[in-house]
Amino acid sequence: MKLTKNTNFRISKGLLDDVFAKTDSLDYDKWVAFIDNNSDYFIWNENTEEGKKSLQNIDSVPEGFKERVLSTLKKGVCFSEFNKEKQLYDISVSFYEDLNWITIQFARTPKLEDLKIFVDMAKFLDALLLKDGKEIIDERVIDRLG
């Protein structure tokens, strides 16, 4: 299995054969608990410098976009590994309640340690870590990659 920064990772209750696939709902409260319990690895968007600025300036956001901005600031998005050189986070994680999945995006090639925490997240949510929506990544896959 080849992993790149463009690899499509999601956490879902089932395989995602296409973009219209519907699976069982993920438990948002459990996701929040997982992120909060792993605050040494993750930071909520609203706790980043950018997120704090967005909250301070929310009144200047046009009404049509305000709800979208707020959804990223209500424990809907978190990050990991701030890259000082690029002034961005290397890992972005978004919870899509309406789609019943979590997306994980990397600005660098994922490491085995990254995959391990996302397998743990998926297990905590009684879900699957998926590559390209169809390939399950679990401990056995990580062991083979290691």
Side-chain angles (χ1 to χ4, degrees):
M1 173 187 304
K2 181 151 174 69
L3 303 175
T4 69
K5 67 180 182 178
N6 296 321
T7 301
N8 181 340
F9 290 101
R10 291 189 188 143
I11 292 177
S12 173
K13 292 270 186 166
L15 298 179
L16 302 168
D17 295 332
D18 61 57
V19 291
F20 301 108
K22 274 292 196 186
T23 64
D24 292 338
S25 296
L26 295 171
D27 186 326
Y28 172 79
D29 292 331
K30 283 179 81 172
W31 185 65
V32 169
F34 186 89
I35 301 303
D36 286 343
N37 290 336
N38 290 279
S39 60
D40 56 326
Y41 187 83
F42 297 107
I43 183 170
W44 290 111
N45 185 25
E46 52 267 35
N47 295 333
T48 67
E49 290 304 314
E50 244 350 270
K52 290 175 185 177
K53 287 178 193 173
S54 293
L55 275 174
Q56 287 175 340
N57 298 319
I58 196 66
D59 291 332
S60 65
V61 174
E63 271 316 304
F65 295 102
K66 195 174 283 190
E67 189 56 40
R68 189 179 314 159
V69 171
L70 285 172
S71 73
T72 69
L73 299 169
K74 296 180 190 172
K75 296 191 175 183
V77 174
C78 64
F79 301 101
S80 187
E81 289 189 21
F82 187 73
N83 185 321
K84 291 180 184 178
E85 186 178 306
K86 295 179 183 177
Q87 293 295 301
L88 297 169
Y89 286 89
D90 281 338
I91 303 170
S92 171
V93 186
S94 302
F95 187 96
Y96 291 99
E97 192 166 11
D98 55 333
L99 299 172
N100 298 329
W101 68 55
I102 294 167
T103 60
I104 305 160
Q105 296 176 314
F106 290 90
R108 57 156 175 75
T109 301
K111 302 173 189 169
L112 287 180
E113 297 80 38
D114 302 321
L115 296 180
K116 287 177 184 175
I117 195 158
F118 290 115
V119 165
D120 290 344
M121 179 187 288
K123 285 173 55 177
F124 187 78
L125 296 170
D126 300 314
L128 305 167
L129 175 60
L130 303 172
K131 177 183 175 277
D132 300 324
K134 299 173 187 143
E135 194 171 343
I136 298 171
I137 298 175
D138 58 16
E139 290 91 349
R140 290 177 299 223
V141 171
I142 292 172
D143 288 344
R144 280 196 309 258
L145 291 171

